[in-house]
């Protein structure tokens, strides 16, 4: 949180066994960074504060459900503390490839129409979110039903809207969650989950860069925290390509003066210091 701290230039490496609580540790730090940024300037404009990256789409979608619960909790806190946390919603974006999520509003509308005609929509849900993170109400009926029984809707140029069907739920008016690329670039969610390969979009899509330094002519801080899961998998040819993009990401973020802090996890610490130096140009501090 201290932009002047020399420790921001060190990669914090978490080495926990499976089930050791890495995700909980990440989410705790992420929530701290999000709330702190709002407390420091509740009347400011906010873009993406935290980016969490994975090497596999399966891991990303699993973490999406848990991250959605956290973001909904933080958003409910903000709604009841406008004076301290501001008026900008705290939101979540899922930024992954088109095979696992609709990347355009047009594709989202097409997939939603297919879902309306599916006999068992819960089994073929392409939108990754199965239930409301706030009250656990299913977002889809078990069998084909009236469209009002579906928690997903496409509202023209506004894109895909996700809403809880439980009238007693605090999130019944709409969930602060975005899974369509076009909406992510427009909203710049507070917390963005993506796969490492998705950052290749920086090379040909200008809007993808908005996640890192905001829209043109806007005064929005760059992300203050990047979480990298399964660091040991970013090796070989993938590591070579990822290292190039890390240089670009660092340069884009540093254009506003501060590079984000990096927290990574790994299943092995062998040569982790060399790997972090090659990928990020930073030294590493292992925990525990």
């Amino acid at each position: 949180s201290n932009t002047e701290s020399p420790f921001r230039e060190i990669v914090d490496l978490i080495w926990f066994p499976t089930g050791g609580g890495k995700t909980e540790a990440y989410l705790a730090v992420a929530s701290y960074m999000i709330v702190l940024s709002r407390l420091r300037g509740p009347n400011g404009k906010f873009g993406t504060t935290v980016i969490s990256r994975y090497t596999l789409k399966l891991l990303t979608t699993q973490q999406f459900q848990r991250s959605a619960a956290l973001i909904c909790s933080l958003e409910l806190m903000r709604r009841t503390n406008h004076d301290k946390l501001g008026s900008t919603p705290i939101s979540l974006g899922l930024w992954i490839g088109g095979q696992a999520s609709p990347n355009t509003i047009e594709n989202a509308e097409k997939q939603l129409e297919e879902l309306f005609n599916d006999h068992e929509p819960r089994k073929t849900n392409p939108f990754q979110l199965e239930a409301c993170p706030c009250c656990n109400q299913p977002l889809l009926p078990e069998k084909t039903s009236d469209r009002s029984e579906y928690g997903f809707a496409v509202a023209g140029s506004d894109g895909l809207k996700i809403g809880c069907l439980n009238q007693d739920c605090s999130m019944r008016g709409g969930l602060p969650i975005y899974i369509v690329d076009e909406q992510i670039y427009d909203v710049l969610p507070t917390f963005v989950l993506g796969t490492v390969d998705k950052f290749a979009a920086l090379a040909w899509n200008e809007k993808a860069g908005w996640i890192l330094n905001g829209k043109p002519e806007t005064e929005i801080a760059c992300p203050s925290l990047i979480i990298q899961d399964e660091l040991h998998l970013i090796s070989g040819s993938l590591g070579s390509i990822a290292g190039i993009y890390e240089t670009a990401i660092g340069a884009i973020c540093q254009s506003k003066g501060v590079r984000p802090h990096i927290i990574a996890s790994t299943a092995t610490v062998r040569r982790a210091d060399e790997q972090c130096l090659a990928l990020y140009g930073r030294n590493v501090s292992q925990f525990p």
Side-chain angles (χ1 to χ4, degrees):
S1 61
N2 178 6
T3 59
E4 303 298 325
S5 172
F7 292 108
R8 290 184 71 90
E9 292 299 312
I10 296 176
V11 177
D12 283 324
L13 185 66
I14 299 177
W15 182 40
F16 285 176
T18 301
K22 290 193 294 291
T23 300
E24 288 75 12
Y26 292 158
L27 294 182
V29 175
S31 60
Y32 175 87
M33 297 297 290
I34 291 169
V35 173
L36 182 61
S37 67
R38 302 303 177 98
L39 289 173
R40 284 176 167 172
N43 298 321
K45 295 181 179 180
F46 298 95
T48 300
T49 301
V50 180
I51 294 174
S52 187
R53 302 182 302 192
Y54 298 82
T55 52
L56 303 173
K57 291 183 177 66
L58 176 61
L59 290 173
T60 311
T61 53
Q62 287 175 344
Q63 301 301 338
F64 180 53
Q65 306 271 348
R66 303 166 80 175
S67 301
L70 170 69
I71 291 302
C72 285
S73 298
L74 294 178
E75 171 57 8
L76 288 176
M77 287 173 54
R78 184 203 64 81
R79 291 180 185 181
T80 55
N81 292 277
H82 282 159
D83 57 331
K84 293 183 178 180
L85 300 178
S87 58
T88 304
I90 295 174
S91 54
L92 174 68
L94 181 65
W95 198 42
I96 58 178
Q99 293 182 340
S101 177
N103 286 168
T104 65
I105 295 173
E106 183 180 356
N107 284 344
E109 189 169 20
K110 179 181 177 182
Q111 291 182 10
L112 186 57
E113 285 296 327
E114 293 175 352
L115 203 60
F116 287 147
N117 296 319
D118 197 289
H119 295 299
E120 295 181 298
R122 290 185 187 177
K123 292 185 177 180
T124 58
N125 180 10
F127 301 127
Q128 304 303 333
L129 199 62
E130 299 174 355
C132 172
C134 190
C135 70
N136 209 34
Q137 170 81 18
L139 295 172
L140 293 171
E142 288 189 31
K143 304 293 182 181
T144 306
S145 184
D146 185 82
R147 298 193 177 196
S148 63
E149 298 298 316
Y150 292 73
F152 302 93
V154 175
S157 60
D158 289 336
L160 182 69
K161 301 294 184 182
I162 307 174
C164 183
L165 301 171
N166 179 4
Q167 293 303 308
D168 296 324
C169 179
S170 301
M171 285 290 172
R172 61 186 179 279
L175 298 170
I177 297 172
Y178 303 92
I179 60 175
V180 177
D181 285 11
E182 294 170 84
Q183 292 176 268
I184 290 173
Y185 302 146
D186 181 55
V187 175
L188 300 181
T190 313
F191 192 144
V192 171
L193 278 87
T195 45
V196 171
D197 60 298
K198 190 69 177 184
F199 284 81
L202 293 169
W204 68 79
N205 189 339
E206 177 188 2
K207 293 183 178 180
W210 295 356
I211 295 173
L212 298 175
N213 66 350
K215 298 178 183 179
E217 301 180 0
T218 58
E219 291 298 324
I220 293 178
C222 296
S224 55
L225 176 65
I226 292 179
I227 298 168
Q228 179 59 64
D229 198 54
E230 305 291 342
L231 179 70
H232 56 281
L233 296 180
I234 307 179
S235 60
S237 56
L238 174 60
S240 298
I241 296 297
I244 295 173
Y245 278 97
E246 289 303 327
T247 303
I249 291 168
I252 292 171
C253 291
Q254 204 161 11
S255 65
K256 292 192 175 180
V258 181
R259 285 208 296 175
H261 185 57
I262 297 175
I263 297 179
S265 77
T266 184
T268 172
V269 291
R270 184 186 179 196
R271 299 180 66 184
D273 52 347
E274 294 179 28
Q275 187 180 15
C276 287
L277 193 60
L279 278 173
Y280 309 116
R282 305 188 189 194
N283 293 320
V284 65
S285 176
Q286 177 189 320
F287 178 84

